[in-house]
Amino acid sequence: MSDWISVEDRLPESENPVLTFVSGEFVNASYWVTSDKHHGQQGWADCFTSDDLDGVTHWQPLPMPPQ
C-alpha cells in the first residue's frame, strides 16, 4: 500500500512540512499554506525557498528521523 495521498482526497494541515510529488517529475519537501499567510491565496510552497510550487499531485508525511 502506498503512503502517498492524492491532493484530490485531502490536504495536509497548513504549514506542516510534507513530501510532495510534483506532476510525475520529482519529490520535494513542501508545505500547504492557507490564504492568511501566502500572498492572499492557498497553495503549495517549497520548504527551502518558500517559492510557490505548482503541479503537486500527491503528498505524504515526512518519515521519522534516524535514531
Side-chain angles (χ1 to χ4, degrees):
M1 176 180 251
S2 173
D3 292 328
W4 290 102
I5 300 164
S6 172
V7 298
E8 294 179 7
D9 292 337
R10 69 182 168 106
L11 295 169
E13 290 183 35
S14 183
E15 300 187 46
N16 286 339
V18 295
L19 292 177
T20 50
F21 190 68
V22 180
S23 297
E25 295 182 24
F26 61 91
V27 173
N28 193 50
S30 310
Y31 56 96
W32 176 255
V33 288
T34 60
S35 58
D36 298 346
K37 298 184 179 182
H38 189 69
H39 314 293
Q41 299 181 6
Q42 293 182 342
W44 292 97
D46 184 283
C47 276
F48 303 105
T49 65
S50 295
D51 290 342
D52 292 345
L53 187 63
D54 295 323
V56 173
T57 61
H58 293 77
W59 66 276
Q60 67 174 290
L62 294 177
M64 295 298 294
Q67 302 273 335

